[in-house]
Amino acid sequence: MTLKLFALPGDERFACRLAEETGAELLAADVRRFPDGESYLRLDDPVDGDSVAVVARLARPDPKIPQLLFAAALLREQGASCLGLVAPYLPYMRQDDRFKPGEAVTSATFAGWVSSHFDWLVTVDPHLHRYPSLDAIYSIPSCVLTAAPQIAEWIDRHVESPVVVGPDSESEQWVRAVADVNGLPWRVLEKTRYGDREVRVTGYDLGAVRDRRPVIVDDICSSGATLAEAARVLKEAGLKPSRCAVVHGLFNDDARRKLRDAGIEVIACSDSVDVDEAVIELIPTLAPEVVQISGGDRS
Ligand code: R5P
């Protein structure tokens, strides 16, 4: 059975590349907004009995979530026999606990919505911190890929004599994985978060790597506060100006200005988010796993 792909608005080219790499067929559809902001969806190709995957890069997710769920409902109504979600950036993973009484644990609620609309999920480096795996909140089979080898390759091609640095303990999983590919030295700093956009990073044990070029590696750059603070610590410790490589470059608010002001020279991220800095391609990583989990043919 040939897999068919349905792209959310803005992700048509990404889905087209995934279709080329997997042998899947890109469905013709019209997804747009009415003047009042409500969504209109129309599917122009048949899917009766087909296996279908929705391709959705879900950075800044709130306007996209209704379209995602409407698309799932439409594809089911039209007869899709199996429905997957390819979401290289999986949002709503960071509120993974109730830190203050009355807070919504949105990670679990979002996971419930996705699990009740889709049969499988493929994603890249989700923010697994307090959850041991996606299975803790997602009840559908999921395939979790990592961009660590691609980030390691980017560092290898662009940075001479690097040391891989994580801004906080949560980043250690990515830092280790990236550093291990080419046997690079690595360090992890300590971060205390005071608010959505306020963090304080402290460093230690940087003497032995002082002559190396720091490459700060993290899963997400959102407000830019974490990377900027880490760069400040490294600069104060006498290291060269930092470069950064993150999986998901959200660059919210004035993140880019913050990163420039912190003296960060270069920042690279994957194309899980559609930004200018996205130089690390995920399609070659995603394609074989999408084929496998969907049971689709390379035809
Ligand atoms: C922490 O939970 C994440 O791994 C990132 O360090 C964090 O999301 C970055 O956020 P910001 O850019 O707003 O500091």
Side-chain angles (χ1 to χ4, degrees):
M1 190 196 302
T2 303
L3 176 67
K4 296 187 173 176
L5 303 180
F6 182 100
L8 280 202
D11 290 332
E12 296 85 353
R13 282 191 54 224
F14 190 80
C16 190
R17 284 182 7 242
L18 185 61
E20 283 165 13
E21 197 73 20
T22 54
E25 202 179 290
L26 189 58
L27 291 164
D30 184 16
V31 183
R32 59 181 171 80
R33 289 190 194 282
F34 287 112
D36 59 7
E38 292 183 4
S39 292
Y40 169 89
L41 293 86
R42 190 187 67 241
L43 181 63
D44 291 327
D45 283 331
V47 294
D48 204 16
D50 290 325
S51 178
V52 181
V54 175
V55 179
R57 291 188 290 182
L58 294 172
R60 283 172 277 282
D62 285 14
K64 298 176 184 172
I65 291 171
Q67 291 186 334
L68 181 70
L69 303 183
F70 286 139
L74 173 64
L75 291 160
R76 292 266 193 223
E77 285 160 20
Q78 297 291 308
S81 58
C82 185
L83 191 56
L85 172 60
V86 181
Y89 171 65
L90 189 62
Y92 281 108
M93 284 300 294
R94 281 174 293 169
Q95 186 78 36
D96 55 4
D97 206 346
R98 183 170 286 117
F99 303 101
K100 292 181 185 158
E103 279 181 350
V105 185
T106 46
S107 51
T109 306
F110 182 70
W113 293 344
V114 170
S115 300
S116 63
H117 283 79
F118 292 91
D119 299 312
W120 54 262
L121 165 69
V122 174
T123 190
V124 180
D125 290 314
H127 186 81
L128 289 169
H129 178 42
R130 289 174 187 82
Y131 296 127
S133 77
L134 287 185
D135 294 344
I137 46 173
Y138 283 80
S139 59
I140 51 174
S142 59
C143 172
V144 170
L145 301 168
T146 178
Q150 287 73 24
I151 290 180
E153 193 189 325
W154 180 84
I155 293 173
D156 193 44
R157 278 194 281 119
H158 294 94
V159 189
E160 211 176 310
S161 188
V163 51
V164 183
V165 180
D168 53 26
S169 58
E170 292 169 40
S171 66
E172 183 171 330
Q173 55 183 302
W174 291 285
V175 169
R176 266 179 190 273
V178 167
D180 282 355
V181 174
N182 292 315
L184 295 176
W186 58 273
R187 295 288 185 279
V188 169
L189 309 176
E190 277 172 25
K191 178 173 87 179
T192 309
R193 186 171 279 285
Y194 296 100
D196 294 349
R197 296 169 178 80
E198 280 164 65
V199 300
R200 183 83 188 160
V201 173
T202 48
Y204 66 99
D205 189 20
L206 293 164
V209 293
R210 189 158 292 146
D211 294 333
R212 289 183 166 261
R213 169 77 66 180
V215 184
I216 308 170
V217 166
D218 205 357
D219 60 336
I220 296 171
C221 174
S222 175
S223 72
T226 298
L227 295 182
E229 257 291 288
R232 179 191 64 76
V233 165
L234 294 167
K235 193 173 163 192
E236 280 176 13
L239 277 80
K240 297 176 179 139
S242 297
R243 302 198 173 155
C244 294
V246 297
V247 184
H248 310 295
L250 302 178
F251 304 122
N252 295 313
D253 302 340
D254 57 349
R256 290 182 176 89
R257 183 195 54 75
K258 257 187 225 153
L259 302 179
R260 267 198 311 276
D261 290 353
I264 293 169
E265 288 186 334
V266 178
I267 176 149
C269 62
S270 82
D271 56 1
S272 69
V273 185
D274 190 13
V275 287
D276 290 345
E277 295 83 353
V279 293
I280 296 166
E281 277 198 50
L282 292 177
I283 297 287
T285 305
L286 288 166
E289 303 306 324
V290 169
V291 169
Q292 179 154 358
I293 198 168
S294 67
D297 288 338
R298 279 178 179 271
S299 51

